[in-house]
Amino acid sequence: MQLKFEVLNNTLVVLLNGELDHHSAEEVREEIDKKIESQNIKNLVFDLTNMRFMDSSGIGVVIGRYKKINKLGGKVGVANLNPHVDKIFQMAGIYKIICKFDTKEEALANL
Amino acid sequence: MSFENYMKIEFLSKSQNESFARVVVASFVSQLDPTIEELADIKTAVSEAVTNSIIHGYDKQNEKVYLECRIIGNTIEITVEDFGKGIDDVDLARQPLYTSKPELERSGMGFTVMETFMDRIIVESEKGKGTRIKMIKKLKTAKNKE
């Protein structure tokens, strides 16, 4: 899994490139948390344009980051989901706490 | 005559093998011409079962996980088996959001994913002996080849 970061105002955008499973989850979690802690971040957007696979490990990663961001008074969004990832998030009821957007720009404008 | 095929592999319970296992199954199943959605469902279910064997069955030890696939007509049967510590309470483990390892930031959705994405899941587990998960899915678009 490759991660690309972008900080716009107080929002951290993470572009995930690859497959998110139990194996890659730890590294993803650590890298995002490091950014959140070091860069005065409020909101977080997961840009999933290039995420080719995700299993339930991804739910844990997103909910874990939500807990962190929520404590900081911010919001979490996901953008550019493929139907499969959408299905998993829906099953987990994740949209009760996290906003879904069609594009990264829409997420940035509305968080 | 209905189409039948079979394969079995074994691999170490290393997390690197989670992606290996789902790619193997996807390749094997591709002979049935599944849709992209069916293939994604199967890969995800395999990933969950194999991850369970690695995290829960064997914990931090490196032991063998066995993966078996059988094609019978349009139906794929996938079995993931470990000889690890077994599940204390299978009914509890299958509950959505239940996890025996909350410290790992696991979602507790593994069995729910398997149940949602496959038609049927059979879990056999014995404490101290291991766990066998059998997952069955009938492919809607599959060609029934000779």
Side-chain angles (χ1 to χ4, degrees):
Chain A
M1 173 71 86
Q2 267 189 322
L3 301 181
K4 265 194 199 151
F5 294 100
E6 206 181 341
V7 181
L8 297 146
N9 297 320
N10 289 334
T11 301
L12 176 66
V13 180
V14 189
L15 180 71
L16 294 99
N17 210 326
E19 309 202 336
L20 182 52
D21 61 6
H22 157 248
H23 177 67
S24 60
E26 197 180 319
E27 189 192 330
V28 170
R29 184 183 302 142
E30 278 174 11
E31 282 197 42
I32 295 176
D33 286 355
K34 228 190 284 170
K35 283 275 175 198
I36 294 174
E37 281 149 25
S38 67
Q39 306 236 9
N40 193 28
I41 296 300
K42 190 173 174 230
N43 302 317
L44 173 64
V45 176
F46 289 93
D47 183 346
L48 307 181
T49 312
N50 298 324
M51 196 164 76
R52 295 191 309 270
F53 175 84
M54 188 190 88
D55 64 16
S56 73
S57 308
I59 302 168
V61 170
V62 172
I63 293 180
R65 305 296 70 66
Y66 164 78
K67 286 181 182 162
K68 230 179 162 65
I69 290 288
N70 192 43
K71 265 188 211 155
L72 301 169
K75 285 182 185 162
V76 177
V78 288
N80 296 312
L81 289 82
N82 68 41
H84 184 69
V85 174
D86 189 36
K87 197 161 140 187
I88 293 175
F89 281 163
Q90 225 150 34
M91 180 195 333
I94 240 174
Y95 298 133
K96 285 178 196 139
I97 52 172
I98 281 155
C99 315
K100 177 169 78 171
F101 299 101
D102 290 337
T103 63
K104 179 180 92 178
E105 290 70 28
E106 199 191 311
L108 288 167
N110 290 287
L111 273 186
Chain B
M1 217 179 84
S2 82
F3 178 67
E4 280 201 34
N5 203 354
Y6 170 83
M7 71 92 174
K8 182 172 183 174
I9 58 164
E10 58 179 66
F11 51 85
L12 277 184
S13 57
K14 287 178 176 288
S15 63
Q16 290 92 326
N17 288 332
E18 291 156 7
S19 62
F20 169 68
R22 50 181 193 260
V23 169
V24 165
V25 174
S27 306
F28 188 71
V29 172
S30 68
Q31 61 195 287
L32 288 176
D33 290 331
T35 62
I36 291 168
E37 190 185 358
E38 285 171 332
L39 208 52
D41 288 354
I42 291 166
K43 280 173 80 174
T44 312
V46 168
S47 200
E48 301 295 349
V50 169
T51 301
N52 275 357
S53 285
I54 292 172
I55 301 182
H56 301 289
Y58 293 126
D59 216 336
K60 286 173 182 78
Q61 274 154 351
N62 282 323
E63 300 286 344
K64 280 176 185 166
V65 179
Y66 300 84
L67 171 67
E68 221 177 285
C69 292
R70 196 179 295 275
I71 291 171
I72 306 153
N74 292 347
T75 302
I76 174 91
E77 277 185 17
I78 303 161
T79 306
V80 176
E81 188 171 20
D82 67 65
F83 296 94
K85 65 178 189 188
I87 301 170
D88 289 342
D89 183 341
V90 172
D91 289 335
L92 180 64
R94 290 178 78 150
Q95 295 281 320
L97 304 176
Y98 173 79
T99 175
S100 60
K101 292 191 189 294
E103 72 280 7
L104 290 186
E105 213 174 67
R106 305 293 308 162
S107 65
M109 294 298 284
F111 274 116
T112 309
V113 167
M114 290 183 241
E115 282 163 1
T116 309
F117 289 174
M118 302 294 282
D119 297 338
R120 215 173 135 222
I121 306 291
I122 300 151
V123 184
E124 294 169 305
S125 190
E126 203 178 324
K127 243 192 127 173
K129 294 239 168 105
T131 301
R132 180 197 284 146
I133 299 175
K134 192 176 192 179
M135 309 186 277
I136 301 162
K137 188 178 181 77
K138 188 172 181 179
L139 303 191
K140 293 187 179 73
T141 55
K143 291 172 193 163
N144 206 344
K145 293 169 189 143
E146 282 296 304

